[in-house]
Amino acid sequence: MQQSHTVKELLAQSAALGIPVTECLGLAAKVLGCNRSAVWAFPEKTVSDAHYQELISQFQQRAQGVPFAYLLGEQEFWSLSFKVSPDVLIPRPETELLVEAVLARLGDRQCTVLELGTGSGCISAALSIERSNWQLVAVDQSATALALAEENAARLGCANITFCQSDWYTALVPSVTFDAIVSNPPYLGQDDPYLGTDIRYEPHAALVSGQTGLEAYEAIIAGAKGFLKPGGLLMFEHGYTQVEELSRMLEAQGFCIVESRRDLQGHPRVLVARS
């Protein structure tokens, strides 16, 4: 015989595990097939034993550090909802700075843009929504990440993005050049203490590029001029301690630094360079 449970019990269980009420409501709304306000408004509503056990399992995973976005299966970025999974990095608010920089620098004119390491596809999709006259190519070496990015783009109606599985530039046609190359590559070193936090649940390849955390930038910068139009832009998100070293790397390859943007904490976060 199945036990009878209530929403009130779920709220109590999540509170006991230290789960924020907003996250509890989000997970409960998804599992129960209703909106969050309905969950909150009817605490005496009966919940099936199957749904109760499913949610208790999710609360326990969250308490162990599994990101809320993975449990929910989605994350908001640029006021758009993106499907996410442990195959892709969870979109973060600071990455919107990169989108803003691309839009501001290229304006409304017709452009071609290459995104390297697209992951969930959030950057390319945001650019597509804002600039339907652009042609975008989104690259990722992971087939599972690329499939998720394509699914997100299709759901959002982004018809001007071409997806390509490639390890940076290797699968691209050398004769095709772009007005801009954009990327939020892995930029942590393999011993970065940040890896001991909840980001340990996110894909290692999307976080760590090598010993120093600069290896991905080295590969992207080294090949960029072969895929940029004259005067084309190279735009990165980066770790807040990396701006000086990245600037030196870009200048050594003949790029001119155009702009450095800071995040809400005042840290350097986005670098713009011209070929």
Side-chain angles (χ1 to χ4, degrees):
M1 180 177 178
Q2 289 193 340
Q3 296 183 47
S4 177
H5 303 280
T6 65
V7 168
K8 184 177 181 180
E9 288 179 63
L10 282 171
L11 291 169
Q13 289 288 346
S14 67
L17 290 167
I19 310 302
V21 172
T22 54
E23 294 187 1
C24 170
L25 294 176
L27 295 173
K30 179 185 178 184
V31 170
L32 300 177
C34 60
N35 59 48
R36 299 183 187 202
S37 59
V39 176
W40 182 253
F42 301 101
E44 301 305 326
K45 177 181 172 64
T46 301
V47 178
S48 72
D49 188 57
H51 283 160
Y52 181 83
Q53 296 303 331
E54 180 180 355
L55 282 165
I56 293 301
S57 174
Q58 291 189 355
F59 296 160
Q60 291 170 341
Q61 291 177 68
R62 184 70 188 102
Q64 292 165 4
V66 176
F68 174 64
Y70 287 158
L71 294 171
L72 192 63
E74 62 185 46
Q75 176 70 17
E76 183 178 295
F77 180 86
W78 203 256
S79 299
L80 304 167
S81 178
F82 288 87
K83 183 177 180 181
V84 294
S85 77
D87 295 312
V88 298
L89 197 71
I90 298 169
R92 288 165 166 79
E94 54 264 33
T95 303
E96 294 186 358
L97 276 175
L98 181 57
V99 175
E100 291 171 0
V102 178
L103 295 173
R105 286 288 166 182
L106 295 182
D108 296 328
R109 65 189 175 91
Q110 188 170 354
C111 290
T112 54
V113 177
L114 170 65
E115 185 198 357
L116 297 174
T118 193
S120 67
C122 64
I123 294 173
S124 284
L127 294 174
S128 170
I129 293 293
E130 297 295 334
R131 300 288 189 268
S132 60
N133 61 324
W134 289 6
Q135 292 300 312
L136 299 117
V137 175
V139 165
D140 205 286
Q141 66 176 349
S142 166
T144 51
L146 209 61
L148 189 63
E150 289 189 77
E151 181 181 344
N152 281 324
R155 184 171 47 80
L156 293 168
C158 302
N160 55 335
I161 308 174
T162 300
F163 292 92
C164 175
Q165 186 176 1
S166 179
D167 183 8
W168 304 132
Y169 306 102
T170 55
L172 298 178
V173 179
S175 60
V176 177
T177 55
F178 300 86
D179 294 288
I181 297 173
V182 303
S183 185
N184 176 22
Y187 55 72
L188 297 182
Q190 63 184 19
D191 297 322
D192 195 301
Y194 193 41
L195 293 170
T197 67
D198 287 355
I199 68 166
R200 66 188 184 277
Y201 291 96
E202 298 185 63
H204 190 266
L207 294 167
V208 178
S209 64
Q211 179 66 41
T212 68
L214 294 169
E215 288 82 357
Y217 296 107
E218 291 171 352
I220 293 171
I221 293 169
K225 286 200 171 181
F227 291 91
L228 279 173
K229 295 177 182 179
L233 296 173
L234 181 56
M235 300 185 235
F236 289 128
E237 180 179 335
H238 57 79
Y240 71 91
T241 63
Q242 296 173 318
V243 63
E244 292 184 3
E245 183 60 34
L246 280 176
S247 296
R248 285 193 290 269
M249 290 166 59
L250 286 161
E251 290 168 349
Q253 291 292 325
F255 284 88
C256 173
I257 306 302
V258 174
E259 180 183 10
S260 176
R261 292 196 172 207
R262 294 177 178 269
D263 60 24
L264 292 176
Q265 285 71 48
H267 299 310
R269 186 61 62 182
V270 168
L271 201 56
V272 180
R274 189 179 301 277
S275 63

